[in-house]
Amino acid sequence: MTSDELKKAVSTVLEQPHHTQLYLVLKINNELVLRLADVEDEKTAPEIQRLFEEFLTAAIVDNDDMIVRNLSVADESSNAIYQYDYNSYPEELGLFKSFKLKTAIKAKKFNFHTDDLGSLFGYIIYLGSMENGVVLFKKHYPISLIKRGSLLLGAKKKAERFEKLPGVDIIRMNGDAQLLRLGDTIFVLDLKMLERNMGFSALIQQAATKTVSAIEELDILDDIEVLRDTLEVPSFARKLSKVKKASPIFKLGISKEAIVEFTKNTPELAGKFKYSEDGTQIRLSTQKSKIAFLKLMNDAFLHSELTKQWYDASAKDNITQGVG
């Protein structure tokens, strides 16, 4: 889906008659369960709807800098929204992925006598009609829950004295979200939240391991274990996870000999690598050489035909198809 298509889809939901429903996602015995939030109709429900309408408008509809990238191949970017294109899903995404309004409206209501806000994992917010809508996921963090045992101080308008507020559990909520779903398509708005809280790091490890295996088959490194050791570093594993699927080197079957020769004759790579005694394999002896090798395998060193200069382009779009 392109950014224009995403904007249009969200705009359609907001422009048509719609309502908003709030669901609490509880983590009970390591299982995520859904509870319908019984929200007061006159003041609270419209305010929740306004919060998330404004969020969608600012983050999607009016965001001219927004770009949509496939999650499996894109580098992290401040203005990117990532379309989830993996074939498998972590368990933490299951409830959000399978959410259906017609089923959800029959879910149990959150009950303060039988449910515990201490088990709150996140929220699912639905905006739309019964036929068409946007599903949002918002992660809950403990800092946003103020327990009734806390001392709450509040000031009333036209008063100069703070007073103790009633001792009740309070959820502090702002209008943002980290995941968005349209139909069956999930979009990631906050990549770090997905990795840290939704079990996505395990999928990254799997993809990164496949990349290391593919590089091992290429036989381009004199010691593959040096690269395999980097799987334990999250930031490096994330970069590795994209190489096997995204790199033209694997798609086009570029030979080991051509790659090594490229590293020796490209100004941008001069001095970045050491080589085996026979000069046929790359030796990764420093952290800088590992980073340079990942860029190499991602085909991130580009030559401008206009200026005849070399560039390090970590994010690029293929424009060769359809030109002419």
Side-chain angles (χ1 to χ4, degrees):
M1 183 178 289
T2 66
S3 57
D4 287 340
E5 291 170 338
L6 178 57
K7 287 174 182 283
K8 184 176 180 180
V10 173
S11 295
T12 298
V13 171
L14 296 179
E15 290 168 358
Q16 294 179 349
H18 61 276
H19 64 280
T20 302
Q21 284 195 322
L22 175 66
Y23 296 86
L24 306 185
V25 179
L26 307 180
K27 194 167 190 176
I28 303 174
N29 297 325
N30 289 322
E31 181 180 355
L32 297 182
V33 298
L34 197 67
R35 293 288 187 265
L36 173 62
D38 188 2
V39 177
E40 183 267 325
D41 291 335
E42 293 186 5
K43 296 181 179 180
T44 309
E47 182 66 13
I48 291 174
Q49 179 162 310
R50 181 192 65 79
L51 279 176
F52 290 100
E53 286 175 343
E54 290 180 353
F55 169 72
L56 287 172
T57 299
I60 306 292
V61 178
D62 291 343
N63 186 356
D64 294 333
D65 296 326
M66 180 192 72
I67 55 176
V68 176
R69 293 286 185 262
N70 284 338
L71 179 60
S72 66
V73 298
D75 287 326
E76 188 171 355
S77 174
S78 59
N79 60 344
I81 290 177
Y82 305 94
Q83 183 169 330
Y84 194 101
D85 61 333
Y86 285 84
N87 294 324
S88 55
Y89 298 80
E91 290 183 12
E92 289 84 348
L93 268 181
L95 194 63
F96 180 69
K97 179 179 180 294
S98 62
F99 178 91
K100 296 185 184 302
L101 181 63
K102 292 182 179 179
T103 304
I105 57 177
K106 302 174 184 177
K108 289 183 179 180
K109 291 183 180 180
F110 181 89
N111 188 308
F112 283 93
H113 296 295
T114 57
D115 295 317
D116 180 10
L117 279 179
S119 301
L120 185 57
F121 179 79
Y123 312 88
I124 289 179
I125 303 99
Y126 181 85
L127 288 86
S129 64
M130 291 299 294
E131 293 75 30
N132 183 39
V134 174
V135 187
L136 297 172
F137 176 82
K138 177 181 177 64
K139 180 71 177 73
H140 170 78
Y141 298 97
I143 194 173
S144 298
L145 175 63
I146 304 172
K147 299 292 289 184
R148 68 187 67 191
S150 304
L151 178 62
L152 305 177
L153 296 178
K156 296 182 179 179
K157 289 183 178 180
K158 300 181 180 180
E160 297 178 349
R161 178 174 295 174
F162 287 94
E163 298 178 3
K164 182 180 178 181
L165 299 178
V168 295
D169 288 352
I170 298 174
I171 295 175
R172 181 171 54 209
M173 176 181 288
N174 57 3
D176 64 2
Q178 294 84 37
L179 302 174
L180 179 152
R181 208 189 88 203
L182 287 166
D184 294 327
T185 305
I186 293 175
F187 297 90
V188 179
L189 311 181
D190 186 336
L191 186 57
K192 286 185 172 60
M193 190 285 299
L194 182 72
E195 292 177 353
R196 294 172 180 173
N197 303 109
M198 305 298 285
F200 186 66
S201 57
L203 291 184
I204 289 178
Q205 284 285 325
Q206 293 174 14
T209 300
K210 289 181 180 179
T211 292
V212 173
S213 296
I215 292 172
E216 184 176 20
E217 289 182 13
L218 195 58
D219 195 31
I220 196 172
L221 296 180
D222 73 334
D223 184 4
I224 192 66
E225 293 304 319
V226 174
L227 193 62
R228 187 170 280 119
D229 289 343
T230 63
L231 291 172
E232 303 301 321
V233 182
S235 60
F236 214 87
R238 186 191 307 127
K239 292 181 174 65
L240 266 174
S241 70
K242 304 176 189 302
V243 174
K244 178 64 171 65
K245 185 171 183 178
S247 175
I249 288 176
F250 289 109
K251 292 179 180 178
L252 300 177
I254 305 300
S255 69
K256 159 190 166 181
E257 292 75 16
I259 298 171
V260 172
E261 190 66 21
F262 179 80
T263 66
K264 295 178 179 179
N265 296 320
T266 301
E268 185 65 29
L269 291 172
K272 294 288 179 67
F273 301 120
K274 293 182 179 179
Y275 301 90
S276 58
E277 292 183 4
D278 61 5
T280 63
Q281 292 177 305
I282 295 172
R283 180 173 296 161
L284 302 181
S285 54
T286 65
Q287 183 68 11
K288 288 185 178 180
S289 68
K290 295 175 187 177
I291 294 173
F293 181 72
L294 277 189
K295 291 180 179 180
L296 168 69
M297 297 306 294
N298 269 316
D299 195 29
F301 297 101
L302 305 181
H303 186 256
S304 169
E305 293 297 326
L306 178 63
T307 65
K308 308 304 179 185
Q309 296 186 49
W310 286 92
Y311 294 94
D312 175 355
S314 58
K316 56 188 180 299
D317 292 314
N318 189 328
I319 60 173
T320 58
Q321 295 181 0
V323 176

